Amino acid sequence: MSKKPIEPFRIKVTEPISLPSEEERLAKIEEAGYNIFRVKAEDIFIDLLTDSGTGAMSQHQWAGMMLGDESYACGRNWYHFEATIKNIFQKRFVLPCHQGRVAENILFSTILKPGDFVPNNTHFDTTRANTMHKGGVAVDLPCPELDDETSDFPFKGNIDTEALSALIKKVGPERVPVVVMTVTNNSVGGLPVSMANIKEVRQICDQHNIRFFFDAARFGENAYFIKKHESGFEDRTVKSIAQEMCAYADGVMMSAKKDGLANMGGFLAVNDEDLAGQLKELLILIEGFPTYGGLNGRDLEAISIGLQEVLNEDYLAYRTGQIEYFGMLLQQAGCPIVSPTGGHAVFIDAGKLLPQIEPAHFPGQSMTVEFYRRGGVRVVEIGSLMFGGEDPNTGEILSPKKELVRLAVPRRMYTNTQLEYVAEIAGEIVKDREKLRGYKITQEPQFLRHFTCTMKEMVGNPAKVPSD
Ligand SMILES: *Cc1c(COP(=O)(O)O)cnc(C)c1O
């Protein structure tokens, strides 16, 4: 049973939030075409849309912002940023950029040729899109334990190393310019990767002379899970675990909007001097001079401090504890969740909860709308609305394995009381689940429809054939 984790900070600055009236909530979501991305943030009470760039900074980070040196070249914050990243990520060359997807763009533009394969434990959306944009083939190789609901294996974020070796053998190592490991494995639920798995990938890459990179957005949360669950690491500091993880990789790309504890930022860090030189040319072209890379001096300072703070073990115990506690509350409220919980979000299986709504009518979206209507809570559908529909390239009808709703928790932002409130709303939805209805899309763009499409709620008895 999870205990309630105690926040290892007290609150010095507050931002007021308020719950719009029921009447207002019903009107706002209807005006937004039942698409939660289209609702104004000020009309949201508790916002669990994403953990990316939404967290709270510490007093040290805010103090650091005042020390911003906005010189064009070689400002003081750059040296702090560079030294921090060299130390934690164990790399010789550091390139700043304004967010993670730019690191991906710069790396893949430099090392990918059309037709190359990029294996990953699971690609994050922007990583996949950047790989494909350069003509690469993005291959997801999640480990077999992931689909075993009876397994309590703690490292379900791992890559399938057998499948990795088989892929390299099949296509030839010259067509695999890099193997990427996403820590934690965001797209499967923020689940961690073990040190043993990382070491094995290093060996496979060495055998075939292939580069090994991390997509390191949640490296701190991953290192903490290794300390908690992998034998031999119990007595190590999380920082030394993070350093060891990174030492096995040739390079790192990172979105600092997650474990950088900052609202914007990212970087690439590599050991190879020639590669660093090539990356730098493109960086200057698209982001800026290599000592700021599209960021303000003050942002570089906030990130340098955030990267160190994220390795604080009281913080990480609270952070992962809060997610586990939230998952337990949602389960107690009657929600089927994906378990074990990972580092940054809880996923509700809306497909299981709402069997009366077919995937084509978006059970996850129905629940998402209900969270807002009943509680002013913003969550996000991760199912047929986000990943289904027609593939714009092949015309194939895509259908994801599960109809999920993600409740991502921003870092150091919401108290346990606020999450308890969200779980109460979930409990009300569970009680009334038979009344929930499906949705139909009324207008959709060609790509990434979930961001902008509009929908309407279906009427009639949801258990019967739905009418228009
Ligand atoms: C957020 C994220 C990215 C992209 O970073 P942005 O800063 O949003 O551009 C890439 N990979 C992973 C694993 C992420 O979580």
Side-chain angles (χ1 to χ4, degrees):
M1 205 6 236
S2 329
K3 281 225 287 285
K4 193 192 285 203
I6 299 176
E7 293 84 356
F9 49 80
R10 52 185 183 177
I11 296 168
K12 176 142 51 185
V13 177
T14 62
E15 179 181 1
I17 50 175
S18 64
L19 176 63
S21 69
E22 183 178 7
E23 201 184 353
E24 283 169 329
R25 298 194 302 270
L26 298 181
K28 303 277 178 197
I29 191 75
E30 190 185 345
E31 271 167 42
Y34 298 99
N35 185 339
I36 201 72
F37 283 97
R38 297 165 60 105
V39 176
K40 280 188 188 162
E42 64 186 22
D43 294 327
I44 306 282
F45 186 37
I46 307 286
D47 199 347
L48 306 183
L49 182 63
T50 175
D51 67 320
S52 181
T54 50
M57 293 208 296
S58 69
Q59 60 177 357
H60 298 293
Q61 288 177 294
W62 282 109
M65 297 282 278
M66 288 306 293
L67 303 177
D69 172 353
E70 307 304 338
S71 307
Y72 187 87
C74 304
R76 90 170 77 85
N77 314 110
W78 156 249
Y79 296 99
H80 190 192
F81 182 87
E82 184 189 32
T84 303
I85 292 169
K86 281 184 173 176
N87 175 261
I88 296 173
F89 297 88
Q90 305 280 297
K91 298 288 160 276
R92 294 167 61 209
F93 303 97
V94 178
L95 299 99
C97 57
H98 88 272
Q99 61 182 96
R101 67 198 68 187
V102 184
E104 295 160 6
N105 181 9
I106 291 174
L107 180 70
F108 295 140
S109 296
T110 306
I111 67 170
L112 276 194
K113 293 188 303 300
D116 280 350
F117 290 81
V118 181
N120 193 319
N121 44 349
T122 311
H123 285 82
F124 178 67
D125 332 5
T126 60
T127 324
R128 179 188 317 281
N130 268 301
T131 301
M132 290 166 62
H133 187 249
K134 313 310 171 230
V137 182
V139 185
D140 290 339
L141 302 173
C143 67
E145 292 89 348
L146 181 65
D147 282 335
D148 181 356
E149 287 185 18
T150 61
S151 153
D152 56 4
F153 183 56
F155 295 104
K156 289 187 178 181
N158 279 354
I159 199 166
D160 182 338
T161 48
E162 271 176 41
L164 175 62
S165 294
L167 175 81
I168 295 169
K169 201 172 266 177
K170 187 170 139 214
V171 305
E174 63 290 345
R175 291 176 71 197
V176 184
V178 64
V179 174
V180 179
M181 186 76 113
T182 306
V183 295
T184 56
N185 191 342
N186 182 358
S187 304
V188 304
L191 299 175
V193 171
S194 70
M195 191 75 85
N197 195 242
I198 291 169
K199 277 193 210 174
E200 247 186 282
V201 174
R202 174 74 267 169
Q203 280 168 2
I204 294 169
C205 288
D206 279 344
Q207 274 166 25
H208 301 284
N209 201 17
I210 296 174
R211 290 183 197 93
F212 178 26
F213 267 65
F214 278 153
D215 183 354
R218 299 176 182 80
F219 77 99
E221 290 165 10
N222 200 98
Y224 186 76
F225 282 118
I226 289 178
K227 180 177 170 111
K228 282 280 129 187
H229 300 299
E230 194 163 352
S231 79
F233 293 94
E234 310 77 357
D235 300 325
R236 293 265 303 270
T237 62
V238 174
K239 181 173 177 185
S240 81
I241 295 171
Q243 286 170 322
E244 182 178 336
M245 285 165 60
C246 295
Y248 292 117
D250 300 297
V252 170
M253 42 186 176
M254 174 156 176
S255 164
K257 300 171 73 169
K258 286 77 172 223
D259 277 355
L261 301 181
N263 301 116
M264 192 52 72
F267 62 86
L268 266 167
V270 300
N271 273 334
D272 180 332
E273 190 164 5
D274 289 341
L275 177 61
Q278 289 171 24
L279 297 170
K280 203 176 272 186
E281 283 182 27
L282 189 54
L283 177 76
I284 295 172
L285 193 66
I286 67 176
E287 285 284 88
F289 192 74
T291 64
Y292 75 85
L295 292 166
N296 298 304
R298 53 182 174 269
D299 295 337
L300 294 169
E301 193 60 36
I303 297 166
S304 320
I305 298 169
L307 288 170
Q308 297 172 71
E309 283 183 352
V310 82
L311 295 172
N312 178 296
E313 300 189 12
D314 290 340
Y315 161 75
L316 284 167
Y318 145 77
R319 168 73 178 158
T320 54
Q322 190 180 46
I323 302 292
E324 198 183 331
Y325 175 65
F326 188 32
M328 184 201 72
L329 293 177
L330 289 165
Q331 247 174 335
Q332 285 176 349
C335 293
I337 67 162
V338 177
S339 78
T341 48
H344 69 281
V346 181
F347 292 73
I348 298 175
D349 193 332
K352 260 191 203 160
L353 185 70
L354 306 172
Q356 75 273 24
I357 304 175
E358 302 166 45
H361 297 133
F362 315 122
Q365 181 58 20
S366 178
M367 197 166 188
T368 299
V369 170
E370 224 43 43
F371 263 112
Y372 183 73
R373 278 185 176 155
R374 288 168 187 259
V377 176
R378 175 150 65 180
V379 301
V380 65
E381 191 260 12
I382 307 230
S384 286
L385 182 62
M386 189 177 276
F387 293 123
E390 199 173 299
D391 183 320
N393 295 322
T394 64
E396 180 196 353
I397 299 294
L398 307 168
S399 56
K401 276 194 217 148
K402 285 188 178 163
E403 299 298 327
L404 302 175
V405 170
R406 185 184 74 187
L407 295 82
V409 183
R411 293 171 180 76
R412 307 189 287 205
M413 171 109 128
Y414 289 121
T415 62
N416 293 327
T417 316
Q418 288 165 324
L419 298 185
E420 285 157 10
Y421 164 81
V422 175
E424 273 174 36
I425 300 296
E428 285 182 23
I429 297 173
V430 170
K431 280 203 195 87
D432 276 350
R433 63 184 177 277
E434 280 162 19
K435 294 188 198 146
L436 266 63
R437 297 192 170 82
Y439 283 79
K440 274 195 169 175
I441 294 179
T442 48
Q443 223 179 12
E444 69 181 302
Q446 199 186 357
F447 293 100
L448 297 171
R449 64 180 181 182
H450 58 283
F451 286 131
T452 55
C453 72
T454 54
M455 284 159 278
K456 68 176 181 186
E457 191 174 15
M458 295 162 82
V459 293
N461 181 347
K464 299 261 172 64
V465 179
S467 80
D468 281 7

